[in-house]
Amino acid sequence: MRGEQRAYITFLVLWTLVTVVKVLIAAQLPLFVDEAFYWQEGQHLAPAYSDLPGLTAWLTRLGVEIVGNHRLGVRLPFLVLGALLPWMVAHIATRWFGTRAGWQAGALALLMPLSATLGILAVPDVPMAIAALLCLDAGARLLRNVDAGGALMLALGLLVGALSHYRFIGVIVVGFIALLLLPEGRRMLRDPRVWMALSVGIVAWVPLLAWNLDNQDAGLKFQLIERHPWEFQTEGLLFLVIQPMLVTPLLFAAMAGVAYAGLRQRLRGFHHVQLRYFALVGGTSTLLIFLFGFFTDVERISFHWPLPGYLALLVSVPLALNHWTRFWRRAVWVVASVGLVLAFAYYVMAATPSLREQTAGSKYYPRNFAGWQPLADAVKDELAQMPADAQVLAGSFKVGSELGFRLEDASIRVLPHELNDRHGRTAQLALWHLISDGSRSTPQLLVLAPGDQRYRDLLERYHKVCELVGPLPPPRVVSLDHGFQRFLLFRLPAQKQQGACVTPAMAWVDGPLPGESISGELQVKGWAFKDGVGLARVELLVDGRSVGDAAYGRTLDIRPAWPGTNDPQHPQVGFDGRIDTSGFAPGRHWLGLRLHGNDGSVETWAEQPFIVER
């Protein structure tokens, strides 16, 4: 009894602390771009959408109606579901393995980073995880005895899953595989009450299927074909590195041991069918996702895909830990706790501008969380100086939905962009009549995010924008985190102008290299150009302060690398300069450029670090 009470108290303390931290983070963390689009979908209520079934959008709308148009409102239903998940894990484990094992499994769900952070973001994985646990619990119950309660729980899980994500089809497939491999499972599938539950799950897919039938299967094509290369790629091996880090290595090893021991019935004292069922569901799911990882999408975030399988294995982990030495049992808890702290620390960093700035230029920089409120403030300021009928025009769905949330306008029009296509949002935007062809009868404020485009494709993108809206006037630059998040705001006149394409400036620093150590004089060289009008001067900045002009106009023909460029000053677009660093404090500094166009534009370029040594 003392062990059970201690496990319960540990769970309750952990649940309280984790839930409070999640709420505090969710209240401060800017919306991720996908969350902002789900908010936008929630403002256009429908049975289904191009990228997802309807539940995620409905939940964002529910939260906003309760709390208001605040990031915490968007996330509130997901926080509630995320807080419910550890109790569900504890309930399942308690039913089959005892009270102490149940509370321990729930506590591990509170420490495993992938499950512990669930709910901080308003994403479909939250209801999908709840649906997976409902189906897991129902399946275990029905294996013992088919009854109405178990069938209703299965129907509810299938309903929630079908309304959550296309990926829930994988959960269903894995569940069927597990049941077919068990004699008790095959017997269960012959019961009509189970098929009544399955029929509810089938009907739940009707809204999504209807949407696809009405829209040339755009959602299915994106989810099953367009987003995946379906060619072998060695990046799939990253699963073996990333997943143990996200789950924490020792817990990952424990779950792997559970899968093996459960399938072989080697956990002493527990030889019932439910143990094999959990192992089959979790092991099969994880293995299939690993194998599919060699052929599926590696460009977008997919590290959370194995979570339903991990939850199935986590239920049995306390049994496996009973056979580990005391040292290794404690190590599992300690390492998992460290992993959770690091996961929370990442979200705190992303939510704190001063901390986020420190990651600028690294692969950990959270670009999709950065700069949206300063951008919204700049947009409001620009609109206040424009005619009353001026409208916002976004360069992509990311900018449109993020601005829409902050301006409380779910109908901001966007330009065609490959980002809209790559994220499966083009068809939905078209249904809302929010894709602009560039024509206009009122002034518009065009907002572009250059960082969303690969740099080698940026000039081509600018020229496509010119084709749509005409030559671009001098922009207002909103630059954050040393320019690693930049936005360009253009006041477009009511009528499309004619003439050569005028684009924002482009630049590159060939020397010094990022992070290079300098002692004495810093020699700067590179190139810069501005299509349509050219540049008048290139100003050098260190830590945001001007240190003089570079010599601009050196002959450097970069046109082979940038076909289609029309800067009238080619090939005289090179620059070089010297900066005396003797007055700089030792340590890291930031080198930047301020590009002055012949049209009067002034554009701050992204910075790069260098180290001053003594």
mmCIF file with all atom_site columns, all heavy atoms in Angstrom, residues 563-578:
data_model
loop_
_atom_site.group_PDB
_atom_site.id
_atom_site.type_symbol
_atom_site.label_atom_id
_atom_site.label_alt_id
_atom_site.label_comp_id
_atom_site.label_asym_id
_atom_site.label_entity_id
_atom_site.label_seq_id
_atom_site.pdbx_PDB_ins_code
_atom_site.Cartn_x
_atom_site.Cartn_y
_atom_site.Cartn_z
_atom_site.occupancy
_atom_site.B_iso_or_equiv
_atom_site.pdbx_formal_charge
_atom_site.auth_seq_id
_atom_site.auth_comp_id
_atom_site.auth_asym_id
_atom_site.auth_atom_id
_atom_site.pdbx_PDB_model_num
ATOM 1   N N   . PRO A 1 563 ? 20.202 34.265 -62.975 1.00 0.00 ? 563 PRO A N   1
ATOM 2   C CA  . PRO A 1 563 ? 19.628 34.547 -64.295 1.00 0.00 ? 563 PRO A CA  1
ATOM 3   C C   . PRO A 1 563 ? 18.332 35.334 -64.165 1.00 0.00 ? 563 PRO A C   1
ATOM 4   O O   . PRO A 1 563 ? 17.523 35.071 -63.282 1.00 0.00 ? 563 PRO A O   1
ATOM 5   C CB  . PRO A 1 563 ? 19.383 33.151 -64.881 1.00 0.00 ? 563 PRO A CB  1
ATOM 6   C CG  . PRO A 1 563 ? 19.308 32.239 -63.696 1.00 0.00 ? 563 PRO A CG  1
ATOM 7   C CD  . PRO A 1 563 ? 20.241 32.819 -62.683 1.00 0.00 ? 563 PRO A CD  1
ATOM 8   N N   . GLY A 1 564 ? 18.186 36.308 -65.055 1.00 0.00 ? 564 GLY A N   1
ATOM 9   C CA  . GLY A 1 564 ? 16.976 37.123 -65.029 1.00 0.00 ? 564 GLY A CA  1
ATOM 10  C C   . GLY A 1 564 ? 17.129 38.417 -64.281 1.00 0.00 ? 564 GLY A C   1
ATOM 11  O O   . GLY A 1 564 ? 16.226 39.267 -64.330 1.00 0.00 ? 564 GLY A O   1
ATOM 12  N N   . THR A 1 565 ? 18.242 38.615 -63.576 1.00 0.00 ? 565 THR A N   1
ATOM 13  C CA  . THR A 1 565 ? 18.423 39.865 -62.843 1.00 0.00 ? 565 THR A CA  1
ATOM 14  C C   . THR A 1 565 ? 18.535 41.037 -63.813 1.00 0.00 ? 565 THR A C   1
ATOM 15  O O   . THR A 1 565 ? 19.148 40.923 -64.879 1.00 0.00 ? 565 THR A O   1
ATOM 16  C CB  . THR A 1 565 ? 19.662 39.793 -61.941 1.00 0.00 ? 565 THR A CB  1
ATOM 17  O OG1 . THR A 1 565 ? 19.840 41.060 -61.291 1.00 0.00 ? 565 THR A OG1 1
ATOM 18  C CG2 . THR A 1 565 ? 20.925 39.487 -62.726 1.00 0.00 ? 565 THR A CG2 1
ATOM 19  N N   . ASN A 1 566 ? 17.950 42.183 -63.430 1.00 0.00 ? 566 ASN A N   1
ATOM 20  C CA  . ASN A 1 566 ? 17.942 43.338 -64.330 1.00 0.00 ? 566 ASN A CA  1
ATOM 21  C C   . ASN A 1 566 ? 18.487 44.604 -63.684 1.00 0.00 ? 566 ASN A C   1
ATOM 22  O O   . ASN A 1 566 ? 18.134 45.721 -64.079 1.00 0.00 ? 566 ASN A O   1
ATOM 23  C CB  . ASN A 1 566 ? 16.518 43.590 -64.866 1.00 0.00 ? 566 ASN A CB  1
ATOM 24  C CG  . ASN A 1 566 ? 15.546 43.992 -63.753 1.00 0.00 ? 566 ASN A CG  1
ATOM 25  O OD1 . ASN A 1 566 ? 15.929 44.100 -62.590 1.00 0.00 ? 566 ASN A OD1 1
ATOM 26  N ND2 . ASN A 1 566 ? 14.295 44.212 -64.109 1.00 0.00 ? 566 ASN A ND2 1
ATOM 27  N N   . ASP A 1 567 ? 19.318 44.441 -62.660 1.00 0.00 ? 567 ASP A N   1
ATOM 28  C CA  . ASP A 1 567 ? 19.962 45.615 -62.056 1.00 0.00 ? 567 ASP A CA  1
ATOM 29  C C   . ASP A 1 567 ? 20.768 46.330 -63.133 1.00 0.00 ? 567 ASP A C   1
ATOM 30  O O   . ASP A 1 567 ? 21.641 45.717 -63.774 1.00 0.00 ? 567 ASP A O   1
ATOM 31  C CB  . ASP A 1 567 ? 20.875 45.166 -60.910 1.00 0.00 ? 567 ASP A CB  1
ATOM 32  C CG  . ASP A 1 567 ? 21.470 46.336 -60.128 1.00 0.00 ? 567 ASP A CG  1
ATOM 33  O OD1 . ASP A 1 567 ? 21.952 47.294 -60.765 1.00 0.00 ? 567 ASP A OD1 1
ATOM 34  O OD2 . ASP A 1 567 ? 21.457 46.280 -58.884 1.00 0.00 ? 567 ASP A OD2 1
ATOM 35  N N   . PRO A 1 568 ? 20.525 47.628 -63.366 1.00 0.00 ? 568 PRO A N   1
ATOM 36  C CA  . PRO A 1 568 ? 21.226 48.336 -64.447 1.00 0.00 ? 568 PRO A CA  1
ATOM 37  C C   . PRO A 1 568 ? 22.718 48.510 -64.201 1.00 0.00 ? 568 PRO A C   1
ATOM 38  O O   . PRO A 1 568 ? 23.451 48.895 -65.121 1.00 0.00 ? 568 PRO A O   1
ATOM 39  C CB  . PRO A 1 568 ? 20.507 49.686 -64.496 1.00 0.00 ? 568 PRO A CB  1
ATOM 40  C CG  . PRO A 1 568 ? 19.924 49.868 -63.121 1.00 0.00 ? 568 PRO A CG  1
ATOM 41  C CD  . PRO A 1 568 ? 19.551 48.492 -62.672 1.00 0.00 ? 568 PRO A CD  1
ATOM 42  N N   . GLN A 1 569 ? 23.209 48.222 -63.005 1.00 0.00 ? 569 GLN A N   1
ATOM 43  C CA  . GLN A 1 569 ? 24.618 48.450 -62.679 1.00 0.00 ? 569 GLN A CA  1
ATOM 44  C C   . GLN A 1 569 ? 25.480 47.197 -62.831 1.00 0.00 ? 569 GLN A C   1
ATOM 45  O O   . GLN A 1 569 ? 26.686 47.249 -62.566 1.00 0.00 ? 569 GLN A O   1
ATOM 46  C CB  . GLN A 1 569 ? 24.738 49.004 -61.246 1.00 0.00 ? 569 GLN A CB  1
ATOM 47  C CG  . GLN A 1 569 ? 24.061 50.353 -61.094 1.00 0.00 ? 569 GLN A CG  1
ATOM 48  C CD  . GLN A 1 569 ? 24.027 50.861 -59.663 1.00 0.00 ? 569 GLN A CD  1
ATOM 49  O OE1 . GLN A 1 569 ? 23.276 51.744 -59.330 1.00 0.00 ? 569 GLN A OE1 1
ATOM 50  N NE2 . GLN A 1 569 ? 24.844 50.295 -58.797 1.00 0.00 ? 569 GLN A NE2 1
ATOM 51  N N   . HIS A 1 570 ? 24.870 46.074 -63.250 1.00 0.00 ? 570 HIS A N   1
ATOM 52  C CA  . HIS A 1 570 ? 25.687 44.875 -63.466 1.00 0.00 ? 570 HIS A CA  1
ATOM 53  C C   . HIS A 1 570 ? 26.752 45.168 -64.524 1.00 0.00 ? 570 HIS A C   1
ATOM 54  O O   . HIS A 1 570 ? 26.476 45.856 -65.512 1.00 0.00 ? 570 HIS A O   1
ATOM 55  C CB  . HIS A 1 570 ? 24.802 43.711 -63.945 1.00 0.00 ? 570 HIS A CB  1
ATOM 56  C CG  . HIS A 1 570 ? 24.023 43.029 -62.855 1.00 0.00 ? 570 HIS A CG  1
ATOM 57  N ND1 . HIS A 1 570 ? 24.595 42.490 -61.737 1.00 0.00 ? 570 HIS A ND1 1
ATOM 58  C CD2 . HIS A 1 570 ? 22.679 42.785 -62.730 1.00 0.00 ? 570 HIS A CD2 1
ATOM 59  C CE1 . HIS A 1 570 ? 23.647 41.958 -60.975 1.00 0.00 ? 570 HIS A CE1 1
ATOM 60  N NE2 . HIS A 1 570 ? 22.478 42.134 -61.557 1.00 0.00 ? 570 HIS A NE2 1
ATOM 61  N N   . PRO A 1 571 ? 27.978 44.662 -64.362 1.00 0.00 ? 571 PRO A N   1
ATOM 62  C CA  . PRO A 1 571 ? 28.469 43.750 -63.313 1.00 0.00 ? 571 PRO A CA  1
ATOM 63  C C   . PRO A 1 571 ? 29.154 44.458 -62.148 1.00 0.00 ? 571 PRO A C   1
ATOM 64  O O   . PRO A 1 571 ? 29.832 43.819 -61.362 1.00 0.00 ? 571 PRO A O   1
ATOM 65  C CB  . PRO A 1 571 ? 29.465 42.880 -64.083 1.00 0.00 ? 571 PRO A CB  1
ATOM 66  C CG  . PRO A 1 571 ? 30.065 43.833 -65.057 1.00 0.00 ? 571 PRO A CG  1
ATOM 67  C CD  . PRO A 1 571 ? 28.955 44.775 -65.464 1.00 0.00 ? 571 PRO A CD  1
ATOM 68  N N   . GLN A 1 572 ? 28.961 45.781 -62.027 1.00 0.00 ? 572 GLN A N   1
ATOM 69  C CA  . GLN A 1 572 ? 29.621 46.533 -60.951 1.00 0.00 ? 572 GLN A CA  1
ATOM 70  C C   . GLN A 1 572 ? 28.772 46.483 -59.682 1.00 0.00 ? 572 GLN A C   1
ATOM 71  O O   . GLN A 1 572 ? 28.182 47.484 -59.256 1.00 0.00 ? 572 GLN A O   1
ATOM 72  C CB  . GLN A 1 572 ? 29.863 47.987 -61.369 1.00 0.00 ? 572 GLN A CB  1
ATOM 73  C CG  . GLN A 1 572 ? 31.045 48.176 -62.308 1.00 0.00 ? 572 GLN A CG  1
ATOM 74  C CD  . GLN A 1 572 ? 30.713 47.752 -63.737 1.00 0.00 ? 572 GLN A CD  1
ATOM 75  O OE1 . GLN A 1 572 ? 29.612 48.004 -64.211 1.00 0.00 ? 572 GLN A OE1 1
ATOM 76  N NE2 . GLN A 1 572 ? 31.662 47.103 -64.409 1.00 0.00 ? 572 GLN A NE2 1
ATOM 77  N N   . VAL A 1 573 ? 28.687 45.311 -59.068 1.00 0.00 ? 573 VAL A N   1
ATOM 78  C CA  . VAL A 1 573 ? 27.852 45.156 -57.873 1.00 0.00 ? 573 VAL A CA  1
ATOM 79  C C   . VAL A 1 573 ? 28.638 44.610 -56.688 1.00 0.00 ? 573 VAL A C   1
ATOM 80  O O   . VAL A 1 573 ? 28.050 44.278 -55.651 1.00 0.00 ? 573 VAL A O   1
ATOM 81  C CB  . VAL A 1 573 ? 26.646 44.239 -58.162 1.00 0.00 ? 573 VAL A CB  1
ATOM 82  C CG1 . VAL A 1 573 ? 25.730 44.859 -59.208 1.00 0.00 ? 573 VAL A CG1 1
ATOM 83  C CG2 . VAL A 1 573 ? 27.087 42.849 -58.581 1.00 0.00 ? 573 VAL A CG2 1
ATOM 84  N N   . GLY A 1 574 ? 29.952 44.522 -56.797 1.00 0.00 ? 574 GLY A N   1
ATOM 85  C CA  . GLY A 1 574 ? 30.762 44.052 -55.675 1.00 0.00 ? 574 GLY A CA  1
ATOM 86  C C   . GLY A 1 574 ? 31.063 45.178 -54.704 1.00 0.00 ? 574 GLY A C   1
ATOM 87  O O   . GLY A 1 574 ? 31.006 46.359 -55.047 1.00 0.00 ? 574 GLY A O   1
ATOM 88  N N   . PHE A 1 575 ? 31.350 44.819 -53.489 1.00 0.00 ? 575 PHE A N   1
ATOM 89  C CA  . PHE A 1 575 ? 31.748 45.833 -52.494 1.00 0.00 ? 575 PHE A CA  1
ATOM 90  C C   . PHE A 1 575 ? 32.835 45.259 -51.608 1.00 0.00 ? 575 PHE A C   1
ATOM 91  O O   . PHE A 1 575 ? 33.001 44.036 -51.474 1.00 0.00 ? 575 PHE A O   1
ATOM 92  C CB  . PHE A 1 575 ? 30.554 46.294 -51.653 1.00 0.00 ? 575 PHE A CB  1
ATOM 93  C CG  . PHE A 1 575 ? 29.964 45.237 -50.752 1.00 0.00 ? 575 PHE A CG  1
ATOM 94  C CD1 . PHE A 1 575 ? 30.512 44.939 -49.501 1.00 0.00 ? 575 PHE A CD1 1
ATOM 95  C CD2 . PHE A 1 575 ? 28.822 44.530 -51.139 1.00 0.00 ? 575 PHE A CD2 1
ATOM 96  C CE1 . PHE A 1 575 ? 29.964 43.973 -48.686 1.00 0.00 ? 575 PHE A CE1 1
ATOM 97  C CE2 . PHE A 1 575 ? 28.262 43.561 -50.317 1.00 0.00 ? 575 PHE A CE2 1
ATOM 98  C CZ  . PHE A 1 575 ? 28.834 43.286 -49.090 1.00 0.00 ? 575 PHE A CZ  1
ATOM 99  N N   . ASP A 1 576 ? 33.629 46.148 -51.010 1.00 0.00 ? 576 ASP A N   1
ATOM 100 C CA  . ASP A 1 576 ? 34.617 45.746 -50.004 1.00 0.00 ? 576 ASP A CA  1
ATOM 101 C C   . ASP A 1 576 ? 34.840 46.907 -49.050 1.00 0.00 ? 576 ASP A C   1
ATOM 102 O O   . ASP A 1 576 ? 34.558 48.067 -49.371 1.00 0.00 ? 576 ASP A O   1
ATOM 103 C CB  . ASP A 1 576 ? 35.922 45.283 -50.636 1.00 0.00 ? 576 ASP A CB  1
ATOM 104 C CG  . ASP A 1 576 ? 36.475 46.277 -51.633 1.00 0.00 ? 576 ASP A CG  1
ATOM 105 O OD1 . ASP A 1 576 ? 36.647 47.451 -51.276 1.00 0.00 ? 576 ASP A OD1 1
ATOM 106 O OD2 . ASP A 1 576 ? 36.714 45.886 -52.790 1.00 0.00 ? 576 ASP A OD2 1
ATOM 107 N N   . GLY A 1 577 ? 35.309 46.583 -47.887 1.00 0.00 ? 577 GLY A N   1
ATOM 108 C CA  . GLY A 1 577 ? 35.555 47.601 -46.877 1.00 0.00 ? 577 GLY A CA  1
ATOM 109 C C   . GLY A 1 577 ? 36.425 47.064 -45.769 1.00 0.00 ? 577 GLY A C   1
ATOM 110 O O   . GLY A 1 577 ? 36.660 45.849 -45.678 1.00 0.00 ? 577 GLY A O   1
ATOM 111 N N   . ARG A 1 578 ? 36.882 47.968 -44.923 1.00 0.00 ? 578 ARG A N   1
ATOM 112 C CA  . ARG A 1 578 ? 37.738 47.601 -43.797 1.00 0.00 ? 578 ARG A CA  1
ATOM 113 C C   . ARG A 1 578 ? 37.166 48.217 -42.525 1.00 0.00 ? 578 ARG A C   1
ATOM 114 O O   . ARG A 1 578 ? 36.749 49.378 -42.534 1.00 0.00 ? 578 ARG A O   1
ATOM 115 C CB  . ARG A 1 578 ? 39.169 48.075 -44.024 1.00 0.00 ? 578 ARG A CB  1
ATOM 116 C CG  . ARG A 1 578 ? 39.834 47.462 -45.269 1.00 0.00 ? 578 ARG A CG  1
ATOM 117 C CD  . ARG A 1 578 ? 41.202 48.088 -45.535 1.00 0.00 ? 578 ARG A CD  1
ATOM 118 N NE  . ARG A 1 578 ? 41.798 47.560 -46.745 1.00 0.00 ? 578 ARG A NE  1
ATOM 119 C CZ  . ARG A 1 578 ? 42.550 46.462 -46.781 1.00 0.00 ? 578 ARG A CZ  1
ATOM 120 N NH1 . ARG A 1 578 ? 42.811 45.811 -45.656 1.00 0.00 ? 578 ARG A NH1 1
ATOM 121 N NH2 . ARG A 1 578 ? 43.062 46.048 -47.917 1.00 0.00 ? 578 ARG A NH2 1
#
